[in-house]
Amino acid sequence: MTDFDQDDIAAMRRENGGADLKRFMRDQLRAGVQRRDAPTAAALPPKPPGHRPGAWPSGTSPPEPRPSTHMPAAWGAALDDYRAVVMADDHTQLTSDQPCGCVTCQLTKEN
């Protein structure tokens, strides 16, 4: 019984001191909860035999990080070259009393 109007509700309030209206409302809530909590029809496929969630397959491991082929001195030289290129840009703030806002100029002034 989902089609009801004001006259039906008024009649339920009059009968049994409103107990019919309370029962009707409880039945409506119960039906809504059952519809909401009903299990879904689509079932998940079964897991393969021996499946362990979150683990690498037996006998394997994650790949190791590749070692760097460059020496630390080469990294330092490349960083110095990069800083020289960045500092070659036109930084008009370096000649004035105002500090430049770029990160490279700030690092240069700190060192």
Side-chain angles (χ1 to χ4, degrees):
M1 179 178 158
T2 58
D3 296 331
F4 54 90
D5 58 4
Q6 293 178 353
D7 296 332
D8 295 332
I9 293 175
M12 283 190 268
R13 282 186 178 157
R14 284 190 303 270
E15 295 174 6
N16 296 330
D20 290 343
L21 178 62
K22 290 178 186 177
R23 188 176 331 120
F24 171 74
M25 296 305 287
R26 281 193 211 106
D27 290 341
Q28 291 293 315
L29 288 171
R30 192 174 301 118
V33 168
Q34 287 175 352
R35 280 193 305 267
R36 183 184 64 207
D37 294 341
T40 59
L44 296 174
K47 302 287 184 197
H51 174 73
R52 294 185 323 185
W56 285 86
S58 298
T60 63
S61 64
E64 295 290 329
R66 300 179 81 182
S68 176
T69 58
H70 302 291
M71 302 299 284
W75 283 105
L79 185 58
D80 290 339
D81 290 344
Y82 174 74
R83 285 181 180 151
V85 168
V86 171
M87 289 303 293
D89 288 342
D90 183 24
H91 294 279
T92 56
Q93 293 90 347
L94 289 178
T95 58
S96 67
D97 294 335
Q98 292 286 7
C100 180
C102 76
V103 175
T104 307
C105 291
Q106 294 296 327
L107 291 174
T108 305
K109 288 178 184 180
E110 290 175 6
N111 293 335

